[in-house]
Amino acid sequence: MASISHSPVSFTGTSASDLLRSSSNGVSGIPLKSQGRVQLYTRRRNFGVTAALRKVKKHEYPWPEDPDPNVEGGILAHLSHFKPLKEKPKPVTLDFEKPLVQLEKKIIDVRKMANETGLDFSDQIISLENKYHQALKDLYTHLTPIQRVNIARHPNRPTFLDHVFNITDKFVELHGDRAGYDDPAIVTGLGTIGDRRMMFIGHQKGRNTKENIQRNFGMPTPHGYRKALRMMYYADHHGFPIVTFIDTPGAFADLKSEELGQGEAIAHNLRTMFGLKVPIVSIVIGEGGSGGALAIGCANKLLMLENAVFYVASPEACAAILWKTAKASPKAAEKLKITATELCKLQIADGIIPEPLGGAHADPSWTSQQIKAAINESMDELEALMEKNPEEILRHRMLKFRKIGGFQEGTPIDPKRKFNMKRKEGPIQAKTSELNLKDDIEKLRQQILKAKESSTGPSELALNEMIEKLKKEIDLEFSEAAKAMGVKDRIEKLRQEFSKANSQDQLMHPGLMDTIEKLKAEFNQGLSSAPNYSSLKYKLDMLNELSKTKGLSENKKKAATLKQEINNKFKEVMDRPDIKEKMEALTAEVQRCGVSKFDDLDQGSKDTILKMKKEIELEAVNILKSMGLEIEVVEKAREFSERTTFPEFKARLENLNEEVNKKIEDVVNSSDLKNMIGVLKLEIAKAGKTPNTESRRKIEALEQQIKQRLSEALSSSELKEKHEELEAEISEALKSSGGLDGSLKAKNPMEDNSKHDEPRVEVNLGANCS
């Protein structure tokens, strides 16, 4: 029979359970964990067992011998393995922070010099410190997306447990998923903030290399997500609100995690979080990567620290996929819209928690207090929602995710959102520099001068292109001026109201016209104080000058065309057989008399020539009238005015014209008539060149109303009596002086104005004095 022998060894430090487990294996009194290398040997029928015991440390009780009851976080803090670091973390300088380091080094050198020499360098130190703070402010208020990514990944950035111990009064960590092992990358526990008890769940990164390896750099395995899921069920059962802290580059994607069901664990968390009946607040404190972050991020409120990022793929991965190189990560970070500001605009994040200048690692305690205030504010809002209806918290969470992307099923879309969803017509046009614009205008002037010298006229195409370019530039200048004056939103609102009223088949409301006129007056009054006023004025002057040039060119062309048409018509008249026959007879009569002057002719020949002249003039008048031209005979009036002047009549006539114009201006400036004229202009612009029957009817009705109002205003005044009295006096004077036909030509608005498109008043004395 075999016998077992063992050397007499000490079993100091072994437990009773170890002894029991060792005896159950048939070895009495030897703990299995203390057995090291075992040597078996047989001598005939006997064999022996030799065990070398491994040295082990005595198990330390988690409570110290003299615990401090006033420790931060309460007495339960002694249970946590998360202790302050023995060594202060080394400062890490990011690439874009190097100019700040140089300034800081200068400050240190000056202080060292002051201490060594005993001289007073306080002014230089204060100047350098002010420069440093200003540079720090400028740098951290204009960060690029990739710079925010680097800040979110900063090695010294506060972790989940740093924030938890700063904001909670009591906190106890809970471990394990009861299905595998305790994943240290996700930490869960119960804590209190004031009177509220909450369940805290978050990704935990390490504060140094050793902790990062232990925490797997904050990348959870399926056991971590199942631990979080167990604590969510626990919180939902007991009615504890849930606060999650997101800080992970993503779930750990190794082969073992995939075999254990990484995707299933994340999906299970997503489904479960949407059914929890307690408020959930998620805070992104660093980087939130893909599904690994979303597995604990399906919350009622998603808040982000100012320099945190939240993405579906890291900028480096995105750049490697799209641009085939990780060097394009700055461009990818900008295109991905992963910063807190951009995500709030897209309504993915619900709020931004501020950080101190330099990032959260510059002042972790201050950052933690900002997080605490944001948690309390969000919980107040969500608990007030639950008091109305407990089921409302589920609806609130569902609607938060349903509205992402600008699509919401079953709810009418707001017109403003519809407008913002439209594709832009084209790229936004930038302003042309004033120097380039001057060069273009100078080139156009040279072309116009060359065209004048060659009598070919300016290039119409180049002139039209420059005018259109100036119009666009002026629109941009006006928009910039309106923005600087703070009236851009009001102008946009009025433009929308105007478009809405113009699209409907009805007259413009007078109140809207008054508002437009007031805003126009306010804008014109403050335009001179706009920063771009000089540029705007220059472009307006250039546009007016080029428009005048274009108008003169067009008038010249029209005059040449009209002159050619009139000459052709006159030639047709003169080539008529009856006119030719009369002209030949008249020429023969003059030749028969043998005189060279008109005064030497006898009376019969004079009458014949004058009669012939009248017939030709009548034909010319008919030709001009057929072409839509008006004829005024002014020769006799000019001779009369050269021969005789009536200064008293001229002065009275000018006074009468001024009174008439003033009366018309007063009537037109009255609110009702002014609105009617504005509506008439809008209707004419709306109708265009080919108005339909309805538009023509509206325009004619408005014209008739305006003419009637003007006629009534002028007829009821003393102007009519003055006009009639002056007309009689001038007629008598003309008759007595043997001037014209004894009548004063006058166009009176009290008479028929139906032939004019716009109401006007003209009082003519012989030669067109109006």
Side-chain angles (χ1 to χ4, degrees), residues 24-289:
S24 63
N25 290 331
V27 181
S28 176
I30 302 176
L32 293 180
K33 73 173 185 178
S34 66
Q35 292 179 5
R37 294 183 301 275
V38 179
Q39 296 179 359
L40 296 177
Y41 60 92
T42 60
R43 184 177 298 169
R44 296 178 184 176
R45 290 187 174 181
N46 298 328
F47 66 90
V49 178
T50 303
L53 297 180
R54 178 171 56 88
K55 291 183 179 180
V56 295
K57 290 183 179 181
K58 184 178 178 181
H59 181 67
E60 296 180 356
Y61 195 72
W63 294 91
E65 294 180 359
D66 52 345
D68 182 7
N70 299 320
V71 70
E72 186 178 358
I75 197 69
L76 294 176
H78 292 293
L79 291 174
S80 175
H81 297 287
F82 188 80
K83 305 293 183 183
L85 292 174
K86 295 179 180 179
E87 297 180 0
K88 190 176 181 180
K90 296 180 180 180
V92 178
T93 303
L94 301 175
D95 290 338
F96 64 90
E97 293 178 324
K98 289 180 180 178
L100 297 176
V101 175
Q102 294 174 0
L103 282 172
E104 195 172 0
K105 186 178 179 183
K106 285 183 181 179
I107 295 172
I108 294 172
D109 292 342
V110 172
R111 283 178 176 167
K112 184 178 179 181
M113 186 183 300
N115 293 331
E116 291 176 354
T117 60
L119 299 176
D120 185 14
F121 289 99
S122 57
D123 293 340
Q124 289 82 349
I125 292 173
I126 292 172
S127 176
L128 285 172
E129 286 179 345
N130 292 336
K131 191 175 180 182
Y132 174 82
H133 289 302
Q134 186 62 38
L136 181 68
K137 183 179 179 181
D138 293 340
L139 180 63
Y140 274 86
T141 51
H142 300 90
L143 291 171
T144 62
I146 194 64
Q147 289 172 347
R148 294 191 187 275
V149 172
N150 293 331
I151 295 173
R153 295 172 177 171
H154 199 284
N156 297 337
R157 193 170 178 86
T159 63
F160 162 56
L161 286 175
D162 288 319
H163 290 303
V164 165
F165 283 115
N166 281 337
I167 67 178
T168 56
D169 304 322
K170 295 180 181 179
F171 177 76
V172 58
E173 187 177 343
L174 302 176
H175 298 272
D177 65 340
R178 304 220 176 147
Y181 69 93
D182 182 31
D183 185 0
I186 281 190
V187 174
T188 62
L190 287 171
T192 59
I193 298 179
D195 296 333
R196 288 192 178 99
R197 295 181 178 86
M198 303 180 189
M199 175 65 71
F200 291 91
I201 302 171
H203 300 99
Q204 177 63 28
K205 286 183 177 180
R207 296 169 291 179
N208 50 38
T209 305
K210 181 180 178 181
E211 285 190 6
N212 270 322
I213 294 172
Q214 179 191 353
R215 301 283 183 180
N216 198 25
F217 295 86
M219 294 185 290
T221 61
H223 299 286
Y225 292 120
R226 290 180 179 127
K227 175 168 68 171
L229 180 66
R230 182 173 78 87
M231 298 307 166
M232 289 177 193
Y233 280 130
Y234 181 83
D236 188 49
H237 177 74
H238 293 282
F240 296 143
I242 299 173
V243 181
T244 66
F245 288 74
I246 298 171
D247 187 15
T248 179
F252 191 52
D254 67 329
L255 180 60
K256 189 68 175 177
S257 297
E258 296 299 329
E259 290 175 351
L260 293 174
Q262 183 76 282
E264 182 270 341
I266 293 174
H268 198 174
N269 280 26
L270 295 177
R271 184 184 67 181
T272 302
M273 290 188 78
F274 281 106
L276 299 178
K277 297 182 180 180
V278 293
I280 305 176
V281 176
S282 292
I283 302 169
V284 185
I285 59 174
E287 56 178 338

